[in-house]
Amino acid sequence: MTVFARRARASAERMHPQLSLVSYTLLGHLQEVGGCRATDLAAHYSLDKSTVSRQVTALDRAGLIERRLDPEDHRVHVLHLTPVGTAVLALVTRSRRALFRERLSGWPEEDLTRFASYLVRYNAAATAYGTEQPEAGPPGD
């Protein structure tokens, strides 16, 4: 698992210099839910608020996200992808999927099905035990 996580982090860094694996995962979640507060991101991924704050600041500086006032509560900012953020996320997602397809291209269908079911089972167990971490990536990967 450690080797898998190291490869995932290294792969993310090669695909976009400003997009760590955590940043990629946060962008994917923002896209999936249509925007949310930083505290929602921290809660969803069981991360410390300061960790999310640093990531959000970096994504904001890179022009990948923007902060908008919540229309129902003007004391709160909701994070949304910018058009640049959407484009970068799409590019990195395509690259990741191509890499996965390449690595798995020689696997028999039966092995792919079994591997996918194990990943689903593992992620379900991690969620059930409250240990979900952003290394899993956004849905669809």
Side-chain angles (χ1 to χ4, degrees), residues 59-141:
L59 292 170
D60 189 25
R61 284 188 185 142
L64 303 177
I65 63 168
E66 62 185 358
R67 302 167 197 254
R68 299 182 198 159
L69 284 177
D70 186 328
E72 296 177 15
D73 183 352
H74 292 288
R75 298 171 297 164
V76 176
H77 284 97
V78 177
L79 308 172
H80 293 273
L81 294 179
T82 63
V84 172
T86 299
V88 166
L89 180 62
L91 174 68
V92 173
T93 298
R94 281 192 304 274
S95 296
R96 285 177 55 123
R97 288 180 180 164
L99 185 61
F100 291 145
R101 277 192 296 277
E102 180 182 319
R103 288 181 180 165
L104 300 172
S105 65
W107 288 35
E109 188 68 31
E110 182 180 306
D111 288 353
L112 291 171
T113 300
R114 189 178 303 119
F115 182 60
S117 71
Y118 291 154
L119 288 174
V120 168
R121 183 175 163 191
Y122 177 83
N123 287 329
T127 301
Y129 291 109
T131 58
E132 183 178 41
Q133 294 296 316
E135 293 177 345
D141 276 349

